[in-house]
Amino acid sequence: MPASVITPPGLTLHDGVREACDRIIQLLLLNLQKLVYNRGSPSLADSPPRPVPFLDALRSHVRDLCVEALRLERKRFLWQHQLLGLLAVYSAPHCATDALFFLLTLARTQEELALATQLYAVLSSCLADLLPATVKTCVCQIHAGRLPEPQIAQLFRNLALVV
């Protein structure tokens, strides 16, 4: 087990502590889910939806969150993937397409690539035109020269696998 903020190298957590932490994270994600999905779309007469500062702060860390989720560590990647989905819905449409772009670009195995298809399945149910917008993001990133050739090749391989 890798060292974390909680335990130094070599020490392991008691299973009860690990389970309690898992429950706390699930409760926090449930609260975030309520905040994200209960925002709704304001009409002209309504005030703008309430911001969620935690998710606002995470917007600039989409790539980092994708990288961490792709590590597929224990149960951690499950809540990271769920958090990524909530962030993508909250900050749609750009955050959703960016998250899919990063997952498609950085995934190296079938298991990692499955995270992208699972995220797409969740997001496509609530975001219109997600596939064309994601393809547009991928093309824009390539044309902007932001990807080294090996990552472009990986992106194309992964796109071929999911299509």
Side-chain angles (χ1 to χ4, degrees):
M1 178 175 107
S4 70
V5 178
I6 299 170
T7 60
L11 295 179
T12 60
L13 287 177
H14 185 274
D15 286 341
V17 172
R18 188 177 306 281
E19 288 172 18
C21 290
D22 285 341
R23 276 187 248 131
I24 290 170
I25 288 172
Q26 287 305 316
L27 289 172
L28 290 170
L29 287 169
L30 180 62
N31 189 42
L32 274 176
Q33 183 175 338
K34 289 176 184 176
L35 291 172
V36 168
Y37 286 104
N38 289 338
R39 289 177 52 140
S41 299
S43 66
L44 292 176
D46 293 337
S47 61
R50 258 179 72 186
V52 180
F54 175 69
L55 293 176
D56 287 332
L58 276 179
R59 281 183 183 168
S60 62
H61 300 283
V62 173
R63 185 184 191 284
D64 299 329
L65 194 52
C66 289
V67 167
E68 286 300 314
L70 287 169
R71 292 175 66 195
L72 300 174
E73 286 186 2
R74 292 187 182 239
K75 294 181 184 179
R76 185 180 304 172
F77 81 94
L78 296 172
W79 65 260
Q80 289 168 334
H81 191 261
Q82 189 176 356
L83 180 59
L84 191 57
L86 292 172
L87 179 60
V89 170
Y90 176 78
S91 301
H94 298 293
C95 190
T97 58
D98 287 350
L100 288 168
F101 162 74
F102 288 126
L103 290 174
L104 287 168
T105 302
L106 300 171
R108 299 205 177 279
T109 66
Q110 290 287 339
E111 294 81 18
E112 291 175 354
L113 188 56
L115 292 180
T117 58
Q118 291 165 7
L119 184 62
Y120 176 79
V122 169
L123 297 178
S124 65
S125 67
C126 58
L127 299 175
D129 300 322
L130 183 59
L131 183 58
T134 300
V135 171
K136 181 180 178 184
T137 297
C138 292
V139 170
C140 287
Q141 293 288 340
I142 292 167
H143 282 291
R146 293 190 182 117
L147 292 175
E149 282 192 34
Q151 283 188 338
I152 293 172
Q154 187 66 47
L155 173 62
F156 285 146
R157 276 191 297 272
N158 288 340
L159 285 171
L161 286 171
V162 296
V163 173

